[in-house]
Amino acid sequence: MAIEAPSSPFYSPWPDRLRHSAIILLVAGLALAVLVGLDELSPLRASVVFACIAAAALVPWRLHNAVASREDVRGVNPVETAAVSAVVAGMPDPAVLLDRAGRVIHLNAAAAQLAPALRKNELAQFALRSPEIITALREAIATSETRRATYLDHVPVDRWMELIVTPVPVPTLFGGTDKCMLMTFHDQTPLRRVEEMRADFVANASHELRTPLAALSGFIDTLQGPAKEDAKARERFLGIMHTQATRMARLIDDLLSLSRVELSAHVRPDTLVDIVPIIRQVADGLEPLARERQVAIDTDLPDAPVVIAGDREELLRVFENLIENALKYGASGGKVVVSLISAVSGEGVPEFRAIVRDFGPGIAPEHLPRLTERFYRVDVGDSRAQGGTGLGLSLVKHIVNRHRGRLLIESVLKKGATFTACFPQAKPPSGT
Ligand code: ADP
């Protein structure tokens, strides 16, 4: 389907046709006059012949003229109208309307931004240059069925777009139908990323579970075989098996907690809780670990209640993870300070900040942005040796987010690390 005037079938240059008819009549009239002048034809016969020629030349023009009047009523090329252009321009996703040859009739700003090589009146195939897309365009026109293809964009960042080519029947001026193609792009990047994350998560989780499981079954084999009668070895192996089983249980606990928190991420807790006793309970509970690691836990907590809208169990997990990490990874500093202060966020929101600070080796700056990713660890071996799962900080971040708070991580190498959980202050009940 050509869409360009004046060669387009949608256009009817009828004045040209009228001119052609007039020329034919003039030439025929002259020829007949010469024949009559030469006495080769009687004037009567010449008049009859002229009348026939005139009818032959003018009737098609009259017919055409009738069609052209319909065009006046209906307007120009139906797909070139401002209305169609406005519809394409108003589509939220990148959209391009093509003629049946693949030439661009309309494109919206989003499409022009996505694929700057696409230009009006030029073939989309040249601009998109993907065999998959070219096949989709060809098949959509040939079969009148929707076709899909993938459009990959790498600048400025990788993006996956699903390209959908929908054949659109359009009326022609002569009462028939022709076909256009509506090509729309749908950004699949977020879905792709989630899918990749899900696949990574499953791979990581099964790897983490498989490691202690392999150790357990190895020791079971040994206890059933070579070490069957060796009481000393049995004692030692059972100890290792216990550690591995605990690790598996902890991993499963963390996974379940994480998915529970994710499921309720959109629901902000609304029970009012005092976080001072929660922090004290956690610090007291971790005293044995602190003694074992020869670390002193200093608490600097207010005497008055510090009330936030929160979930007690989840807040226990936050402080358990932060203080336990400080004791495990920052033990060399010999001291962990846990404090609670009132402050105002950058947006002017009053908040409480629970700060857990250690004086251990600290964390290199390149690791800081990734610490809250699931299974991310600075040193996998060290984390495993400490019984870590790599899920603790991810869980902390999710819980803090659910409480509409923020988790801040600061560290200077060799000087320790500071983890700050910020929670918005609970609004006092109305009327007070
Ligand atoms: P894990 O179960 O491995 O402790 P986390 O998500 O709690 O997992 O922590 C992720 C990683 O962050 C840890 O493996 C450790 O490398 C690092 N990390 C966490 N807290 C500290 C800290 N206080 N000092 C140094 N490194 C830390």
Side-chain angles (χ1 to χ4, degrees), residues 53-354:
I53 293 172
L58 286 174
V59 167
W61 175 75
R62 285 296 310 160
L63 282 176
H64 188 83
N65 201 19
V67 173
S69 334
R70 271 199 282 148
E71 178 193 344
D72 286 344
V73 175
R74 256 197 320 200
V76 290
N77 173 353
V79 289
E80 281 222 321
T81 57
V84 177
S85 169
V87 169
V88 175
M91 291 178 77
D93 286 328
V96 186
L97 190 68
L98 307 168
D99 68 15
R100 64 179 310 132
R103 199 169 284 114
V104 176
I105 306 174
H106 298 294
L107 78 167
N108 64 7
Q113 196 185 13
L114 177 72
L118 280 173
R119 302 241 165 71
K120 243 180 142 173
N121 299 327
E122 289 183 12
L123 290 171
Q125 295 89 314
F126 290 152
L128 301 176
R129 287 172 181 277
S130 145
E132 195 191 342
I133 296 176
I134 294 169
T135 309
L137 288 171
R138 200 182 313 123
E139 288 185 3
I141 275 295
T143 62
S144 295
E145 284 170 13
T146 298
R147 285 285 183 268
R148 288 158 200 272
T150 305
Y151 176 77
L152 295 177
D153 189 23
H154 299 291
V155 181
V157 287
D158 282 354
R159 278 206 291 173
W160 290 268
M161 314 285 288
E162 184 185 33
L163 186 149
I164 302 180
V165 186
T166 314
V168 186
V170 283
T172 65
L173 293 173
F174 304 104
T177 49
D178 201 342
K179 262 186 258 170
C180 286
M181 288 179 282
L182 181 65
M183 187 167 77
T184 47
F185 298 76
H186 304 272
D187 197 349
Q188 302 291 310
T189 317
L191 279 178
R192 266 308 249 275
R193 296 247 153 87
V194 169
E195 184 49 36
E196 277 175 6
M197 276 167 62
R198 196 193 61 79
D200 281 357
F201 176 71
V202 171
N204 277 323
S206 40
H207 174 75
E208 291 294 328
L209 281 170
R210 208 175 289 133
T211 313
L213 198 61
L216 278 178
S217 59
F219 283 119
I220 291 169
D221 285 349
T222 316
L223 287 173
Q224 284 175 331
K228 203 169 182 177
E229 309 301 336
D230 185 342
K232 229 166 144 192
R234 191 168 58 226
E235 210 46 41
R236 196 162 64 83
F237 291 162
L238 283 174
I240 300 172
M241 289 167 74
H242 181 257
T243 309
Q244 297 298 336
T246 311
R247 190 174 146 202
M248 281 178 78
R250 185 165 183 176
L251 185 67
I252 291 165
D253 271 359
D254 281 357
L255 285 171
L256 288 176
S257 304
L258 202 53
S259 80
R260 247 195 317 269
V261 175
E262 274 180 332
L263 276 180
S264 57
H266 58 289
V267 190
R268 187 180 174 177
D270 55 4
T271 319
L272 293 182
V273 285
D274 177 4
I275 47 179
V276 176
I278 296 180
I279 298 178
R280 274 197 211 290
Q281 180 184 335
V282 174
D284 291 347
L286 286 169
E287 254 323 311
L289 178 68
R291 266 199 302 278
E292 185 193 307
R293 302 288 161 108
Q294 298 180 333
V295 180
I297 302 180
D298 288 357
T299 48
D300 181 8
L301 304 173
D303 295 328
V306 168
V307 178
I308 64 165
D311 179 309
R312 202 185 122 76
E313 287 307 312
E314 289 185 2
L315 291 168
L316 277 169
R317 300 304 299 266
V318 167
F319 299 120
E320 260 165 29
N321 273 295
L322 293 182
I323 301 174
E324 197 180 318
N325 275 356
L327 293 174
K328 285 187 324 194
Y329 302 109
S332 58
K335 185 169 76 166
V336 169
V337 180
V338 184
S339 52
L340 187 56
I341 59 166
S342 172
V344 176
S345 77
E347 287 85 45
V349 180
E351 59 186 19
F352 291 117
R353 294 183 184 169

Side-chain angles (χ1 to χ4, degrees), residues 325-326 328-330 358 362-363 371 376-379 383 388-394 417 419:
N325 275 356
K328 285 187 324 194
Y329 302 109
D358 70 68
I363 305 160
L371 281 187
Y376 188 84
R377 285 165 280 194
V378 175
D379 179 335
S383 158
T389 60
L391 292 173
L393 288 179
S394 176
F419 290 75

